Amino acid sequence: MSYRKTLKVIFGFAGGSAALVLAAAAADSRGYFGESKTEAGGRWSRLSALQAAQPAWAATSITPVPTGHAWDVNWDKREPSTLSNGKKKESASDDPSSEQENGKSKATRNILLIRHSQYNLSGSSDKERILTPLGREQAELTGHRLSALGLKYDVLIHSSMARATETAHIISKHLPGVELLSCDLLREGAPIEPVPSVTHWKPDAVYHEDGARIEAAFRRYIHRADPKQKEDSYEIIVCHANVIRYFVCRALQFPPEGWLRMGLNNGSITWLTIRPNGRVALRTLGDAGFMPPDKLTRT
């Protein structure tokens, strides 16, 4: 292959990569281009010009640099090493290490957060904002999916708002024997002012009130297992997009004000796993792949 054709191939695929310019130079030094000295002289002047046009490169320029704060191991205030602080010993023989061992979580909590199905947006009150016919189909599909996973669910908790309650009751038909509970803390709201800001959003007073309630819901439901829990658990929470997105940001220790940067389909499944050591993993975010495309909505 001629020199010109070789460079054309190199730059056509790599968009002028500096690395491939150097590769071309190395190939030439081994005589792979098979050109005369006269041809080589003209070529090297062109190659030098191309190489000079490449942006400066250093090893550090492609190495990601950690930003933000380190992982807070005691994010849920249940780290065993901190639980005994300030406690008065019953006797001199009390062993702090034994106390910490007894206070350690031993099981993994799996929390499946379900966004309610499509509902009647024209309703003037919560009682009128019930599921649409499509919304009821979505709830059936979500219930079928949860059943098909074959997990041993411990409880199904839902927001007390009509659309979440109806979604949860339809899902529960696919999960016989699973306890069904309602919770006001899980109602929809504005958890924290989003960044970047949006002009059509809420006044500060709304964030102040809703944010405290949604944070209280997070602290109640998102934490490592109690030391008395022996087996891994699977808990379902049916609630709302804002609540779920805030929970995900808080659990992963991402900036909570970024919650509005994510989107969730109706009836979708978001799966958080909390290990005994407090580490959190997001297994799925807004999974709705089990629904046919014509059943997908985000209202």
Side-chain angles (χ1 to χ4, degrees):
M1 183 185 292
S2 72
Y3 168 76
R4 286 191 179 88
K5 288 183 179 179
T6 302
L7 277 188
K8 189 174 181 180
V9 171
I10 289 173
F11 288 103
F13 280 106
S17 166
L20 286 178
V21 169
L22 296 175
D28 179 75
S29 69
R30 291 169 172 78
Y32 293 157
F33 292 134
E35 294 174 332
S36 67
K37 291 183 179 180
T38 303
E39 291 174 320
R43 169 171 49 76
W44 273 113
S45 64
R46 294 192 297 272
L47 184 59
S48 297
L50 287 168
Q51 191 170 353
Q54 302 304 310
W57 180 90
T60 55
S61 66
I62 62 169
T63 303
V65 178
T67 60
H69 301 288
W71 178 261
D72 177 10
V73 297
N74 194 32
W75 61 273
D76 59 351
K77 309 307 177 191
R78 294 170 185 248
E79 172 61 27
S81 62
T82 67
L83 294 177
S84 59
N85 289 350
K87 286 186 178 180
K88 185 177 180 180
K89 291 185 177 181
E90 296 297 327
S91 67
S93 61
D94 286 348
D95 183 0
S97 61
S98 176
E99 184 179 356
Q100 288 183 24
E101 189 63 32
N102 293 334
K104 283 184 178 180
S105 294
K106 303 170 183 62
T108 295
R109 293 185 68 217
N110 294 275
I111 302 169
L112 289 83
L113 301 161
I114 314 298
R115 189 190 175 194
H116 61 77
S117 301
Q118 186 191 65
Y119 69 102
N120 174 28
L121 288 169
S122 61
S124 59
S125 66
D126 179 54
K127 290 182 179 180
E128 296 176 357
R129 293 174 187 146
I130 58 176
L131 300 187
T132 64
L134 175 56
R136 289 190 286 274
E137 285 187 67
Q138 291 170 338
E140 294 283 0
L141 289 167
T142 303
H144 184 269
R145 172 60 174 170
L146 291 170
S147 175
L149 290 175
L151 302 172
K152 183 182 177 182
Y153 299 108
D154 296 86
V155 66
L156 197 169
I157 307 164
H158 62 85
S159 156
S160 57
M161 297 186 82
R163 55 189 181 269
T165 300
E166 189 175 359
T167 300
H169 279 267
I170 293 174
I171 289 174
S172 70
K173 294 189 301 181
H174 296 266
L175 306 172
V178 178
E179 185 179 12
L180 194 63
L181 300 174
S182 177
C183 178
D184 288 334
L185 292 178
L186 294 167
R187 295 172 71 88
E188 183 64 303
I192 187 174
E193 186 171 1
V195 176
S197 60
V198 286
T199 56
H200 63 277
W201 209 246
K202 310 290 184 181
D204 290 344
V206 175
Y207 296 115
H208 182 72
E209 182 176 342
D210 288 356
R213 172 177 54 77
I214 296 171
E215 173 63 20
F218 174 82
R219 297 185 186 191
R220 173 177 291 187
Y221 296 114
I222 313 297
H223 54 77
R224 73 194 77 185
D226 187 277
K228 296 178 182 178
Q229 181 177 325
K230 304 301 182 185
E231 297 182 357
D232 295 351
S233 59
Y234 295 87
E235 303 157 49
I236 301 170
I237 298 178
V238 179
C239 54
H240 309 270
N242 294 357
V243 177
I244 294 172
R245 293 182 287 187
Y246 179 77
F247 279 11
V248 169
C249 288
R250 283 282 282 109
L252 297 178
Q253 299 189 25
F254 293 164
E257 63 271 18
W259 62 271
L260 196 54
R261 303 171 200 171
M262 296 178 277
L264 299 174
N265 286 329
N266 295 110
S268 62
I269 302 172
T270 295
W271 186 336
L272 286 171
T273 296
I274 307 175
R275 302 294 181 190
N277 60 6
R279 293 186 181 180
V280 181
L282 179 63
R283 295 190 60 172
T284 63
L285 175 67
D287 175 27
F290 52 87
M291 293 190 188
D294 61 339
K295 304 297 182 184
L296 297 174
T297 60
R298 193 180 291 180
T299 57

